[in-house]
Amino acid sequence: MLVGKLVFNQSDRTEFVFRVFTTATEFQVLLFLLFLLLYLMILCGNTAIIWVVCTCSTLRTPMYFFLSNLSFLEICYTTVVVPLMLSNIFGAQRPTISLPGCGAQMFFFVTLGSTDCFLLAIMAYDRCVAICHPLHYTLIMTRKLCAQMLVRALGLALFLALQLTALIFTLPFCGHRQEINHFLCDVPPVLRLACADIHVHQAVLYV
């Protein structure tokens, strides 16, 4: 109850300040257009991959199934970061985010990033089976197994992200406004702002 009350009270008054890229208007416009262009390219490119895999019957194989899901994850992964970053470029001179907002961004960022890594490992396993057991490939890599591996990767990522985010945001943060030396709520920059012993948290992060 005491920890919960502390976190609740802390969430009411603590906010984080992002480090601004630049205060020069000309560079702000240039950065905004550059990041917006890259974001649109990511959206269009990955959406095109998903559309091609879904509409072309010859691509309905495990490899392209995982590839289309990887593209979907990339869309979500960048959407967690880029829109807020774009709004902060032309926002206030000291763009801020609340403690719950920072926790939510970190949770989704870690979840999607972890799922991305697990999915790449699954795709490597898929290619390994295709090379080492070509005659049994279709019997091993069934649709059911592919779906199960994808769900398990997401479930494991959710579990790890929830544990890590909860571990970090039960720490006390000194002061009402803390500057994050980053453009998003990533784990290491936020962890450095805690006014408590973080050796255990750093060990968990490295593991």
Side-chain angles (χ1 to χ4, degrees):
M1 287 294 292
L2 183 60
V3 173
K5 186 177 181 181
L6 175 64
V7 173
F8 179 77
N9 291 336
Q10 182 175 274
S11 65
D12 286 343
R13 53 189 173 83
T14 302
E15 62 180 7
F16 297 102
V17 181
F18 291 118
R19 178 69 61 87
V20 295
F21 288 101
T22 178
T23 55
T25 306
E26 301 81 9
F27 288 111
Q28 286 180 337
V29 173
L30 182 62
L31 287 173
F32 181 86
L33 294 176
L34 176 62
F35 290 136
L36 179 62
L37 177 62
L38 292 174
Y39 181 55
L40 292 176
M41 289 173 62
I42 291 171
L43 292 181
C44 294
N46 286 292
T47 303
I49 292 173
I50 296 171
W51 180 79
V52 170
V53 172
C54 291
T55 55
C56 186
S57 58
T58 58
L59 298 181
R60 291 173 186 173
T61 61
M63 181 178 71
Y64 290 105
F65 169 76
F66 293 132
L67 182 62
S68 61
N69 280 280
L70 185 65
S71 295
F72 177 72
L73 282 174
E74 290 295 330
I75 291 174
C76 297
Y77 189 63
T78 52
T79 301
V80 168
V81 177
V82 178
L84 180 61
M85 183 179 66
L86 290 175
S87 67
N88 287 338
I89 290 176
F90 275 135
Q93 293 292 333
R94 305 282 287 173
T96 61
I97 187 171
S98 65
L99 187 69
C102 186
Q105 187 186 48
M106 181 184 293
F107 172 74
F108 287 113
F109 181 75
V110 174
T111 298
L112 294 168
S114 300
T115 308
D116 208 340
C117 294
F118 294 145
L119 187 55
L120 288 172
I122 292 171
M123 293 173 72
Y125 171 75
D126 171 69
R127 292 299 85 203
C128 180
V129 173
I131 294 169
C132 299
H133 305 283
L135 299 179
H136 298 90
Y137 176 74
T138 54
L139 297 176
I140 298 173
M141 297 300 296
T142 60
R143 286 188 176 182
K144 182 179 179 180
L145 179 62
C146 293
Q148 285 177 344
M149 287 194 294
L150 183 63
V151 171
R152 287 171 184 171
L154 180 59
L156 181 59
L158 284 168
F159 174 76
L160 293 175
L162 183 61
Q163 297 294 318
L164 184 60
T165 307
L167 188 66
I168 291 173
F169 282 91
T170 52
L171 287 168
F173 294 96
C174 301
H176 301 300
R177 293 169 69 88
Q178 297 274 339
E179 184 179 67
I180 300 177
N181 189 20
H182 212 328
F183 57 88
L184 76 152
C185 288
D186 200 3
V187 176
V190 174
L191 195 57
R192 294 191 197 102
L193 301 178
C195 54
D197 185 14
I198 60 172
H199 287 93
V200 174
H201 299 75
Q202 288 176 327
V204 171
L205 174 61
Y206 292 143
V207 170

